[in-house]
Each structure stands twice: as C-alpha cells, then as structure tokens.
Amino acid sequence: MSEDTFRSVEIERTSMGNYVVRNVRGGSLPMGTGEDGSFTPVELLLAAIGGCTAIDVDHITSRRAEPTRFAVEVTGDKIRDEAGGNRMQNLKVEFTVTFPVGADGDKAREALPRSLQQSHDRLCTVSRTVELGTPVSIVEAAGSIGD
C-alpha cells in the first residue's frame, strides 16, 4: 500500500484492562473494559461509524449554512450469535440537524438527505467497510515471545 492509503493506530497496555490508543499525528485516546470513563472497543466502533458519516454530512451541508444543532446518536445491540461469537446488530446512525431560517438554511436542509445517502453509499469508509464485511487478520509479530 502507498503512504497516502495506509492507516494505522498503536495500542499500548497501561494496566490490566486499560490501554491508550495513539495515532501517527500524536493523538491519544484511553480505551478499556468499560469499568471507568474510558471508551470500550465497541463504543469506539460506534463512534467511528457515526463520526465518519458526521464528517461527510457536515462538510456537505455546512458549505450552505452553519448548523444551529448537529447531533448524531449511534446505537446497536451486542449479541452472541448462533456460532457463539459476539457481534453487533441493528446498527443505526440517527442525525438531528437543524439550520437557521432563511435561504441558506433552506439550501442546507435540502442537501441533508442527499448528503446522508452519499455518505452511506460511497463516502464513509467506516460504515462501508463494516457493511461489506472486510476480513481481519490477527497475527503475532515476529520476536514478541520474550524480552
């Protein structure tokens, strides 16, 4: 893969059940089991799905008018499936977006449904990856057995 397509994060254990996720730009985010305020991996998945679409929709609609409210709720059910594995189902991304009264607000309101559809159908890398079911490889790095 080329540098412009490659994406990565690193996850470091800070204590039992607690981790920090770091990106190449220096950002960090606590992640854990949900026993404290840190995000769980499932919550981060939901945030990634909603956040990806939110960015798409915001870029398209806010060129017409600045929203007076822009909120996204992402929900789903964590289940154990027939094969005995954990997974999410019934994923839903719900937008509550309002724009000011006037011609610019009208243009933004008109663009909102189309922007939601464009994000879902082709723009949002995260939800498209989840829906298409991209395989995940889990491997042990060479030399990671001992110090």
Side-chain angles (χ1 to χ4, degrees):
M1 290 279 146
S2 69
E3 285 188 32
D4 58 334
T5 63
F6 184 74
R7 304 291 187 269
S8 68
V9 296
E10 289 188 3
I11 301 168
E12 182 180 352
R13 180 183 186 267
T14 57
S15 64
M16 178 62 176
N18 295 291
Y19 311 86
V20 61
V21 182
R22 291 189 178 89
N23 64 28
V24 297
R25 295 173 310 284
S28 64
L29 180 68
M31 179 178 69
T33 59
E35 295 177 11
D36 60 10
S38 62
F39 285 89
T40 68
V42 170
E43 291 167 337
L44 290 173
L45 174 66
L46 296 175
I49 291 169
C52 185
T53 298
I55 290 169
D56 294 338
V57 170
D58 193 23
H59 277 250
I60 294 168
T61 59
S62 65
R63 283 186 278 172
R64 291 149 176 87
E66 184 67 21
T68 54
R69 180 163 189 230
F70 193 106
V72 183
E73 181 179 20
V74 186
T75 59
D77 298 309
K78 183 177 175 185
I79 63 156
R80 185 172 300 273
D81 63 22
E82 308 78 40
N86 296 329
R87 66 180 179 89
M88 295 294 292
Q89 70 176 15
N90 303 321
L91 295 173
K92 181 172 87 170
V93 182
E94 185 174 19
F95 279 75
T96 304
V97 184
T98 58
F99 297 98
V101 175
D104 289 344
D106 292 344
K107 289 177 188 173
R109 275 185 287 284
E110 184 179 311
L112 182 59
R114 186 177 77 253
S115 67
L116 291 167
Q117 196 64 51
Q118 286 176 321
S119 180
H120 177 266
D121 293 348
R122 65 180 182 84
L123 298 175
C124 179
T125 304
V126 178
S127 63
R128 286 184 43 77
T129 300
V130 169
E131 285 191 331
L132 294 172
T134 301
V136 176
S137 299
I138 299 178
V139 298
E140 181 178 344
S144 65
I145 301 302
D147 290 331

